[in-house]
Amino acid sequence: MRDEFEDPFEEHRNLLFAVAYRMLGTAADAEDAVQDAWIRWSSKDRSDVAEPRAYLVRITTNVALDRLRSAQSRRETYVGPWLPEPMLTSPDIADNAELSESVSMAMLVVLETLSPLERAVFVLKEVFGYPYAEIAGALDRSEASVRQLGTRARRHVEARRTRFEAGGGERRKVTERFFDAVLGGDINRLMEALAPDVALWTDGGGKVRAARRVIRGAEKVGRWLTGINGQPYAGVDPADMRVRRVHLNGEPALIVDGPDGPISTVTAEVDGDGRVRAVHLVANPDKLRAVAEGRRLPA
């Protein structure tokens, strides 16, 4: 039997983190947003709160909105491409297509191109299934304006998302073949795995060696990936590196570990033709903390 004195905040903490992470794109910012929401919740007279879950989501969404607006100005001066912070996920999340897509690196990159309000509406409506009327109340806007925001956001995302007709199992096979080619240094197999218009995003945040711009085209991406294979990176000799195959953000991924912890993660986005259309490499140490701590993204 549920304890009548159970704290609703703790009951819904995972949900609040899940909302904030999709809004902000980093575990650190999401955790800060949840903490700010807790402070507001703790200081409020809750006698008039009929639906704690809805109220807590409302607080967290608005805290995340404020943080996202502030973060956007910082990201404009970010050194090199900005990527979300990867988080470990259980392999079975990949079997839920909608859930895995909503936390995928590819989707989070697309969400970065939305306005803060569009992103909030999209996350609450398309990911968590909240009705527009409830979202309007959470954002203190009319339902008509929220519907417009939702329509714009959905069109924007649809125009940029990848549709893969085959099931998740086939998608994973394509990704694994790509990883095999990268780790084996096989340029021919690598070129076969890459889409002609593939894009490589490398996020070093100005703290470790990384491309300052997105690299585009199979030949350039293939050369870059084979060029770093077997080379020292982030001050770590290849002999001291270990590679783990894991699941990050609902998809197969690689973690490259050094003696002191992770030095990079690699994920891949597969197109409708069964080729890799985007590679996301995160090496900024600030964005590897959740992975280093073994934190898993709640479903």
Side-chain angles (χ1 to χ4, degrees):
M1 185 179 232
R2 188 167 123 181
D3 185 350
E4 63 177 324
F5 298 106
E6 180 181 354
D7 183 359
F9 186 90
E10 292 304 323
E11 180 183 356
H12 300 301
R13 178 185 284 274
N14 283 347
L15 169 64
L16 303 182
F17 182 89
V19 170
Y21 178 73
R22 289 166 174 85
M23 284 281 296
L24 295 164
T26 77
D29 286 339
E31 194 58 60
D32 286 345
V34 172
Q35 181 66 19
D36 287 350
W38 178 83
I39 292 172
R40 296 189 187 189
W41 169 256
S42 299
S43 61
K44 177 176 176 56
D45 177 6
R46 300 193 289 273
S47 60
D48 61 343
V49 177
E51 296 289 342
R53 183 179 188 272
Y55 182 79
L56 287 167
V57 169
R58 176 176 185 164
I59 295 176
T60 304
T61 299
N62 282 282
V63 169
L65 266 175
D66 290 341
R67 286 184 166 272
L68 185 57
R69 293 183 179 112
S70 175
Q72 283 191 324
S73 61
R74 296 195 305 272
R75 290 173 192 176
E76 289 175 359
T77 59
Y78 193 80
V79 179
W82 187 95
L83 285 173
E85 179 180 2
M87 290 197 71
L88 291 161
T89 49
S90 59
D92 56 357
I93 285 184
D95 296 328
N96 184 327
E98 291 185 0
L99 178 59
S100 62
E101 183 186 32
S102 76
V103 295
S104 70
M105 296 293 282
M107 175 58 76
L108 293 176
V109 168
V110 172
L111 293 183
E112 278 295 306
T113 64
L114 300 178
S115 73
L117 277 174
E118 288 173 343
R119 186 166 184 167
V121 174
F122 184 88
V123 167
L124 293 177
K125 175 63 177 174
E126 303 299 329
V127 178
F128 294 97
Y130 285 92
Y132 280 124
E134 194 168 337
I135 298 172
L139 300 179
D140 196 23
R141 281 170 167 72
S142 70
E143 184 175 344
S145 67
V146 166
R147 285 183 178 276
Q148 290 179 340
L149 287 165
T151 298
R152 285 203 306 268
R154 188 167 56 253
R155 287 175 178 169
H156 186 93
V157 171
E158 289 289 343
R160 289 161 177 78
R161 79 200 309 179
T162 299
R163 288 298 185 187
F164 194 83
E165 299 302 329
E170 182 61 29
R171 196 160 60 247
R172 287 193 290 273
K173 288 180 183 178
V174 173
T175 304
E176 293 295 347
R177 285 198 296 268
F178 165 69
F179 288 155
D180 289 341
V182 171
L183 296 175
D186 189 331
I187 186 63
N188 293 325
R189 289 180 63 193
L190 186 56
M191 294 301 293
E192 290 175 0
L194 297 175
D197 60 346
V198 62
L200 169 64
W201 302 63
T202 61
D203 182 345
K207 299 186 177 184
V208 297
R209 187 176 79 250
R212 295 296 182 95
R213 296 180 181 177
V214 178
I215 300 172
R216 300 185 185 276
E219 185 177 347
K220 291 181 180 179
V221 171
R223 284 204 309 265
W224 197 94
L225 290 173
T226 54
I228 65 168
N229 197 9
Q231 299 296 318
Y233 192 73
V236 178
D237 189 87
D240 296 323
M241 297 179 188
R242 299 292 181 270
V243 178
R244 284 183 281 156
R245 298 200 184 213
V246 298
H247 278 77
L248 295 174
N249 294 75
E251 53 199 347
L254 300 178
I255 296 178
V256 182
D257 289 311
D260 299 322
I263 58 176
S264 70
T265 65
V266 183
T267 55
E269 178 186 359
V270 178
D271 69 12
D273 296 321
R275 292 186 176 182
V276 173
R277 74 182 295 264
V279 181
H280 301 120
L281 186 152
V282 177
N284 183 343
D286 294 341
K287 294 185 180 179
L288 297 175
R289 291 173 182 168
V291 170
E293 294 168 359
R295 294 184 59 190
R296 289 189 178 272
L297 181 65

